[in-house]
Amino acid sequence: MSQIAAVFEQANHKALIPYVTVGYPSIEATLKVVPLLAQSGADIIELGIPFSDPLADGVTIQNASYMALQQGVTPKLCLETAKKLHNQVKTPLVFMTYYNPILSYGLDKFCCACREAGVSGLIIPDLPPEEGAELEACACHEDIDVIYLLAPTSTEERTRLVAERSRGFVYLVSLTGVTGARSKLPADISEFVSRVRRLSRQPLCVGFGIATAEQARQVAQLADGVIVGSKIIQLMEADPSLGTVASFVKELREAVDR
Amino acid sequence: MLPDKRGYFGSYGGRYVPETLVPVLEALTIAYDEAKRDKVFWAEFASLSRDFSGRPTPLYLARRLTEHCGGARIFLKREDLAHTGAHKINNALGQGLLARRLGKQRVIAETGAGQHGVATAAVCAMLGLNGIVYMGEEDMRRQSLNVFRMRLMGAEVRSVTSGSRTLKDAINEAMRDWVTNPRDTYYLLGSVVGPHPYPTMVRDFQSVIGQETRQQVLEKAGRLPDYIIACVGGGSNAMGIFYPFLEDKEVKLIGVEAGGKGLDTDKHAASLAAGRVGVLHGSKSYLLQDESGQVRETHSISAGLDYPGVGPEHSYLKDTGRATYVAVSDEEALKGFQLLCRTEGIAPALESAHAIAYTAKIAGGLSKDQIVIINLSGRGDKDMGIVSAALGVKL
């Protein structure tokens, strides 16, 4: 069983999955914040490899990606950073990035480097399963999970396809839109999760727009995991000592355990 | 018949987009296939092409340009005479009719030079649709006249301040809008780029250029041309004129990319000449990128060619050798611009001036019984500010 799948084997446990952009605001900050996220109750940690054209991201992650790239962050540096983190924390690490940096690195070479760095999975928002067969073959060879996404617009046919092809868990995009903190959960989230649940036995994790402990609590009642990204980045910006981020993630932990 | 069912031209194309958009693109593909078979749809397209866009556009024998070059006979396909001043109207009209057919009232588009934005604004006004155009802040500055034109026609122009603030970023922003409003919004993409079915659909609507050209050259010269030369940014005017000639192997097809300040610098936009295969804006194609797969910022004196990607069918035509792609610098394009003004009394768009410049390079070496057709994709009024500044003339 993959490291990611093992997270969902724990009875009555909901997964908490925070996201950070590697190298934002600095590589040092990433090396510091990830162990803090792990200690504060994260089950899986998403590491964003910055891309020049993040078309599924809202302004917070767009800006973080832009700043990280300005400082010379590359996929290679992200792999090195992940390796350092893997030696420090037991929490499974997954990369979130776009397809072009991986394609440019070489699909084989990248998956091999992920295994060596201790990265367990890949989330690629611009790679639907129809285009993912090549990457899946390389990833499978290195025991890396390719995690596919579903959206509120996904048809029943596509829901079955994604559920069948995704490894580790299925990433449910809560809303039609880009990443970014929202003040309210979408009204149809419960219906969306149960619609997928009827067609899939995979663990379901919900992301996009989740920014408060209360929202995380509500989502945890429906799904198997909660993904929080932009809000984490905003708190890192507001308090570079990272104390606020750590206490926010602890709050999220309590909320999803409730 | 290309593309295949998954939208691939050989190994290029596809649908690399967020899941949210995949079902929308599937539905669009089906709707377009239905429209494609519907005679009523094409009858309306043809009738509005004639009465609204002013088609057919003439094929004009450029006698003095021919004389100046001293070789092959040069014809100009006068897309500059089409309504709104460029070939962009063909695609905007076709997709506008499709948006209305799908019952989508809200239409979004991106624009670089503003030509596609103006064409979209005009079609939305004519069909009574709500048009929103995303345009990079840098391009809004370079092409302020077109911004004003779009607003006069009732379109909302939204300034894009992310990244390099040009066409690439305007497409990112339009796609973010579409991901947010997938159900009620039609994305009227302006070139033969993007996810399947856009490269095919835009090519089909633009191929009216090549169909007319084929008939006109047969009438005027009694035979097919030896060369067809067109500028390539995303590549819609080139694809439109090339497509009906793909099976005529004796017709050489040449795409002219923006060489900017030179291919040996990083200030150009020649994806086919200097890029490598990558994925941007939903399709796999040649792409200007750095060694770690980040999309490079590009440069061209013409905003419409200032784009790091290129349509997937062009990548396929390059690899198979059916078309040849070359690059022309900013400086050469400026000379081409002035040359056409002086010899023919026609001011070309700076984009099209790249095709003029390349023709001027080769036509002299061809014999007088050979024929070259240039796709004069747009007119140059919008570029007067840039050209005068480049020539050091204060207006």
Side-chain angles (χ1 to χ4, degrees):
Chain A
M1 184 188 305
S2 80
Q3 271 207 60
I4 298 173
V7 169
F8 300 96
E9 288 297 305
Q10 308 163 56
N12 301 319
H13 182 84
K14 301 291 175 151
L16 175 60
I17 312 176
Y19 163 97
V20 291
T21 301
V22 179
Y24 181 73
S26 65
I27 291 290
E28 292 68 39
T30 306
L31 289 170
K32 205 171 137 195
V33 75
V34 170
L36 262 183
L37 297 173
Q39 286 157 28
S40 308
D43 294 291
I44 297 171
I45 295 167
E46 267 187 43
L47 300 174
I49 301 177
F51 178 51
S52 53
D53 294 81
L55 55 81
D57 284 302
V59 285
T60 304
I61 296 177
Q62 276 178 48
N63 178 57
S65 303
Y66 181 76
M67 297 305 286
L69 289 174
Q70 290 294 99
Q71 294 171 66
V73 175
T74 60
K76 193 160 173 284
L77 185 58
C78 293
L79 283 157
E80 287 164 16
T81 308
K83 192 169 190 172
K84 284 184 193 160
L85 290 167
H86 180 65
N87 292 334
Q88 284 179 56
V89 299
K90 289 198 177 117
T91 314
L93 303 174
V94 304
F95 274 141
M96 175 143 181
T97 190
Y98 290 80
Y99 193 47
N100 199 56
I102 299 179
L103 186 66
S104 165
Y105 200 99
L107 302 182
D108 265 336
K109 245 178 90 186
F110 185 78
C111 291
C112 179
C114 282
R115 185 182 44 75
E116 282 169 8
V119 172
S120 317
L122 298 172
I123 301 168
I124 306 161
D126 63 344
L127 190 76
E130 285 88 343
E131 307 292 357
E134 265 183 285
L135 179 68
E136 278 176 49
C138 301
C140 180
H141 189 252
E142 306 289 348
D143 286 326
I144 311 253
D145 291 333
V146 176
I147 298 153
Y148 285 115
L149 300 90
L150 277 172
T153 52
S154 302
T155 55
E156 182 169 328
E157 196 187 339
R158 297 197 54 73
T159 304
R160 287 183 202 279
L161 174 72
V162 167
E164 186 194 309
R165 296 274 290 277
S166 196
R167 293 286 171 270
F169 62 88
V170 178
Y171 190 134
L172 270 57
V173 177
S174 70
L175 43 78
T176 54
V178 293
T179 60
R182 309 282 204 284
S183 56
K184 272 198 305 196
L185 286 174
D188 55 358
I189 184 71
S190 158
E191 192 267 321
F192 176 35
V193 178
S194 39
R195 180 152 45 92
V196 179
R197 190 76 85 189
R198 281 198 297 276
L199 302 169
S200 164
R201 294 183 163 190
Q202 298 252 29
L204 308 179
C205 299
V206 176
F208 281 45
I210 301 169
T212 67
E214 174 54 21
Q215 290 169 343
R217 187 189 64 79
Q218 290 175 31
V219 170
Q221 289 179 346
L222 308 166
D224 307 300
V226 180
I227 303 164
V228 182
S230 297
K231 185 68 187 184
I232 304 267
I233 304 278
Q234 288 170 1
L235 293 177
M236 287 175 72
E237 287 167 349
D239 173 13
S241 80
L242 306 178
T244 315
V245 166
S247 55
F248 175 62
V249 174
K250 282 179 194 151
E251 248 181 83
L252 290 174
R253 178 77 264 165
E254 282 169 26
V256 301
D257 285 344
R258 214 176 298 159
Chain B
M1 270 289 277
L2 290 175
D4 66 15
K5 275 198 171 146
R6 296 174 54 228
Y8 275 87
F9 304 87
S11 54
Y12 303 109
R15 211 177 249 164
Y16 297 82
V17 293
E19 171 64 24
T20 311
L21 295 179
V22 180
V24 182
L25 289 163
E26 285 176 343
L28 178 60
T29 306
I30 293 168
Y32 175 62
D33 284 344
E34 282 169 10
K36 208 171 166 174
R37 288 192 303 268
D38 181 354
K39 286 193 183 115
V40 177
F41 179 82
W42 288 109
E44 187 169 20
F45 180 71
S47 126
L48 285 169
S49 287
R50 186 187 63 228
D51 301 339
F52 180 71
S53 311
R55 303 206 71 88
T57 59
L59 184 71
Y60 165 71
L61 173 61
R63 286 198 175 79
R64 292 200 65 236
L65 179 64
T66 298
E67 220 169 89
H68 172 89
C69 296
R73 270 197 296 167
I74 301 168
F75 287 87
L76 304 176
K77 177 60 175 166
R78 300 290 308 274
E79 291 301 297
D80 61 317
L81 294 177
H83 179 45
T84 68
H87 72 290
K88 293 290 185 189
I89 194 72
N90 304 324
N91 169 54
L93 177 61
Q95 287 197 57
L97 291 173
L98 192 59
R100 197 187 60 184
R101 186 185 169 99
L102 290 167
K104 305 219 174 178
Q105 185 62 29
R106 184 175 185 269
V107 171
I108 57 171
E110 80 297 333
T111 196
Q115 292 304 103
H116 174 58
V118 169
T120 302
V123 166
C124 284
M126 187 262 295
L127 295 175
L129 303 168
N130 305 325
I132 296 165
V133 180
Y134 287 93
M135 189 169 187
E137 196 179 44
E138 170 65 14
D139 288 336
M140 284 178 75
R141 191 187 58 74
R142 290 197 275 192
Q143 304 284 352
S144 54
L145 265 179
N146 274 341
V147 175
F148 184 61
R149 286 169 80 194
M150 286 185 263
R151 288 182 172 150
L152 279 176
M153 292 173 182
E156 180 189 340
V157 183
R158 292 189 183 170
S159 154
V160 175
T161 55
S162 55
S164 57
R165 304 172 184 209
T166 60
L167 178 56
K168 158 181 99 86
D169 308 283
I171 297 182
N172 288 341
E173 219 42 53
M175 286 192 126
R176 289 182 187 119
D177 180 317
W178 203 24
V179 165
T180 308
N181 306 290
R183 295 183 179 99
D184 67 346
T185 297
Y186 184 88
Y187 182 16
L188 208 163
L189 187 49
S191 192
V192 287
V193 300
H196 179 57
Y198 283 100
T200 308
M201 206 160 63
V202 178
R203 174 199 73 192
D204 291 351
F205 290 131
Q206 291 296 2
S207 65
V208 64
I209 306 172
Q211 287 156 10
E212 287 174 8
T213 303
R214 206 168 190 290
Q215 197 184 338
Q216 289 165 326
V217 74
L218 288 174
E219 279 163 18
K220 286 183 191 257
R223 67 176 187 90
L224 294 178
D226 299 281
Y227 290 86
I228 294 178
I229 299 176
C231 65
V232 175
S236 70
N237 89 79
M239 217 46 247
I241 195 164
F242 288 175
Y243 188 64
F245 291 92
L246 286 182
E247 300 305 318
D248 304 308
K249 305 289 184 203
E250 69 275 27
V251 180
K252 294 182 188 67
L253 308 174
I254 298 181
V256 186
E257 293 189 294
K261 297 192 194 301
L263 294 191
D264 50 346
T265 71
D266 59 1
K267 295 207 175 310
H268 62 80
S271 327
L272 291 160
R276 62 191 170 90
V277 177
V279 167
L280 178 68
H281 296 147
S283 60
K284 190 185 272 185
S285 197
Y286 280 87
L287 177 64
L288 290 169
Q289 53 184 318
D290 70 11
E291 60 288 348
S292 40
Q294 306 299 343
V295 178
R296 276 196 11 211
E297 293 201 355
T298 53
H299 163 84
S300 170
I301 191 166
S302 83
L305 302 183
D306 202 350
Y307 180 64
V310 65
E313 195 165 7
H314 283 297
S315 293
Y316 175 74
L317 295 177
K318 172 190 159 86
D319 282 9
T320 58
R322 179 63 192 94
T324 308
Y325 296 88
V326 297
V328 150
S329 70
D330 285 353
E331 208 177 311
E332 292 170 313
L334 268 172
K335 284 191 184 138
F337 182 97
Q338 296 169 83
L339 176 64
L340 196 68
C341 288
R342 248 186 2 253
T343 54
E344 297 291 345
I346 297 171
L350 273 172
E351 290 78 13
S352 326
H354 286 71
I356 308 284
Y358 187 74
T359 304
K361 275 191 191 181
I362 65 158
L366 302 175
S367 70
K368 290 192 192 306
D369 57 359
Q370 289 188 293
I371 296 173
V372 175
I373 297 177
I374 301 172
N375 194 11
L376 188 62
S377 55
R379 70 176 191 220
D381 308 51
K382 70 185 173 60
D383 293 318
M384 290 305 166
I386 296 165
V387 173
S388 64
L391 298 178
V393 177
K394 221 168 173 192
L395 294 183

